[in-house]
PDB file of all heavy atoms in Angstrom:
ATOM      1  N   THR B 123      96.968 -89.307 -56.638  1.00 40.00           N
ATOM      2  CA  THR B 123      96.117 -88.126 -56.601  1.00 40.00           C
ATOM      3  C   THR B 123      96.562 -87.153 -57.637  1.00 40.00           C
ATOM      4  O   THR B 123      95.710 -86.417 -58.228  1.00 40.00           O
ATOM      5  CB  THR B 123      96.194 -87.491 -55.216  1.00 40.00           C
ATOM      6  OG1 THR B 123      95.766 -88.524 -54.230  1.00 40.00           O
ATOM      7  CG2 THR B 123      95.280 -86.259 -55.085  1.00 40.00           C
ATOM      8  N   HIS B 124      97.856 -86.945 -57.773  1.00 41.00           N
ATOM      9  CA  HIS B 124      98.349 -85.961 -58.703  1.00 41.00           C
ATOM     10  C   HIS B 124      98.703 -86.534 -60.102  1.00 41.00           C
ATOM     11  O   HIS B 124      99.407 -85.910 -60.898  1.00 41.00           O
ATOM     12  CB  HIS B 124      99.662 -85.296 -58.130  1.00 41.00           C
ATOM     13  CG  HIS B 124      99.330 -84.546 -56.913  1.00 41.00           C
ATOM     14  ND1 HIS B 124      98.653 -83.375 -56.921  1.00 41.00           N
ATOM     15  CD2 HIS B 124      99.565 -84.841 -55.598  1.00 41.00           C
ATOM     16  CE1 HIS B 124      98.525 -82.908 -55.703  1.00 41.00           C
ATOM     17  NE2 HIS B 124      99.041 -83.740 -54.877  1.00 41.00           N
ATOM     18  N   HIS B 125      98.126 -87.635 -60.407  1.00 40.00           N
ATOM     19  CA  HIS B 125      98.415 -88.260 -61.676  1.00 40.00           C
ATOM     20  C   HIS B 125      97.974 -87.345 -62.779  1.00 40.00           C
ATOM     21  O   HIS B 125      96.816 -87.033 -62.923  1.00 40.00           O
ATOM     22  CB  HIS B 125      97.693 -89.590 -61.739  1.00 40.00           C
ATOM     23  CG  HIS B 125      98.350 -90.560 -62.742  1.00 40.00           C
ATOM     24  ND1 HIS B 125      98.040 -90.379 -64.133  1.00 40.00           N
ATOM     25  CD2 HIS B 125      99.213 -91.588 -62.651  1.00 40.00           C
ATOM     26  CE1 HIS B 125      98.726 -91.267 -64.790  1.00 40.00           C
ATOM     27  NE2 HIS B 125      99.390 -92.024 -63.872  1.00 40.00           N
ATOM     28  N   GLN B 126      98.941 -86.977 -63.649  1.00 46.00           N
ATOM     29  CA  GLN B 126      98.596 -86.021 -64.611  1.00 46.00           C
ATOM     30  C   GLN B 126      97.754 -86.562 -65.825  1.00 46.00           C
ATOM     31  O   GLN B 126      97.174 -85.928 -66.566  1.00 46.00           O
ATOM     32  CB  GLN B 126      99.875 -85.484 -65.211  1.00 46.00           C
ATOM     33  CG  GLN B 126     100.658 -84.623 -64.279  1.00 46.00           C
ATOM     34  CD  GLN B 126      99.925 -83.397 -63.682  1.00 46.00           C
ATOM     35  OE1 GLN B 126      99.291 -82.652 -64.527  1.00 46.00           O
ATOM     36  NE2 GLN B 126      99.831 -83.262 -62.478  1.00 46.00           N
ATOM     37  N   ASP B 127      97.801 -87.923 -65.935  1.00 49.00           N
ATOM     38  CA  ASP B 127      97.163 -88.585 -67.077  1.00 49.00           C
ATOM     39  C   ASP B 127      95.675 -88.834 -66.740  1.00 49.00           C
ATOM     40  O   ASP B 127      94.961 -89.271 -67.581  1.00 49.00           O
ATOM     41  CB  ASP B 127      97.869 -89.806 -67.427  1.00 49.00           C
ATOM     42  CG  ASP B 127      99.270 -89.533 -67.940  1.00 49.00           C
ATOM     43  OD1 ASP B 127      99.411 -88.491 -68.503  1.00 49.00           O
ATOM     44  OD2 ASP B 127     100.110 -90.402 -67.739  1.00 49.00           O
ATOM     45  N   SER B 128      95.221 -88.535 -65.585  1.00 59.00           N
ATOM     46  CA  SER B 128      93.856 -88.778 -65.241  1.00 59.00           C
ATOM     47  C   SER B 128      92.944 -87.983 -66.064  1.00 59.00           C
ATOM     48  O   SER B 128      93.256 -86.853 -66.338  1.00 59.00           O
ATOM     49  CB  SER B 128      93.602 -88.512 -63.709  1.00 59.00           C
ATOM     50  OG  SER B 128      94.350 -89.320 -62.932  1.00 59.00           O
ATOM     51  N   PRO B 129      91.824 -88.435 -66.372  1.00 69.00           N
ATOM     52  CA  PRO B 129      90.801 -87.659 -67.067  1.00 69.00           C
ATOM     53  C   PRO B 129      90.478 -86.444 -66.227  1.00 69.00           C
ATOM     54  O   PRO B 129      90.511 -86.448 -64.987  1.00 69.00           O
ATOM     55  CB  PRO B 129      89.589 -88.571 -67.192  1.00 69.00           C
ATOM     56  CG  PRO B 129      90.126 -89.937 -67.003  1.00 69.00           C
ATOM     57  CD  PRO B 129      91.332 -89.819 -66.100  1.00 69.00           C
ATOM     58  N   SER B 130      90.106 -85.408 -66.939  1.00 76.00           N
ATOM     59  CA  SER B 130      89.926 -84.105 -66.255  1.00 76.00           C
ATOM     60  C   SER B 130      88.835 -84.222 -65.184  1.00 76.00           C
ATOM     61  O   SER B 130      89.010 -83.630 -64.095  1.00 76.00           O
ATOM     62  CB  SER B 130      89.549 -83.047 -67.232  1.00 76.00           C
ATOM     63  OG  SER B 130      88.362 -83.353 -67.935  1.00 76.00           O
ATOM     64  N   LYS B 131      87.884 -84.994 -65.433  1.00 76.00           N
ATOM     65  CA  LYS B 131      86.731 -85.074 -64.446  1.00 76.00           C
ATOM     66  C   LYS B 131      87.220 -85.775 -63.134  1.00 76.00           C
ATOM     67  O   LYS B 131      86.888 -85.335 -62.082  1.00 76.00           O
ATOM     68  CB  LYS B 131      85.523 -85.797 -64.971  1.00 76.00           C
ATOM     69  CG  LYS B 131      84.580 -85.001 -65.713  1.00 76.00           C
ATOM     70  CD  LYS B 131      83.210 -85.519 -65.669  1.00 76.00           C
ATOM     71  CE  LYS B 131      82.149 -84.398 -66.038  1.00 76.00           C
ATOM     72  NZ  LYS B 131      80.770 -84.875 -65.914  1.00 76.00           N
TER      73      LYS B 131
END
Side-chain angles (χ1 to χ4, degrees):
Chain B
T123 302
H124 294 288
H125 200 282
Q126 295 299 312
D127 295 330
S128 299
S130 60
K131 273 212 163 181

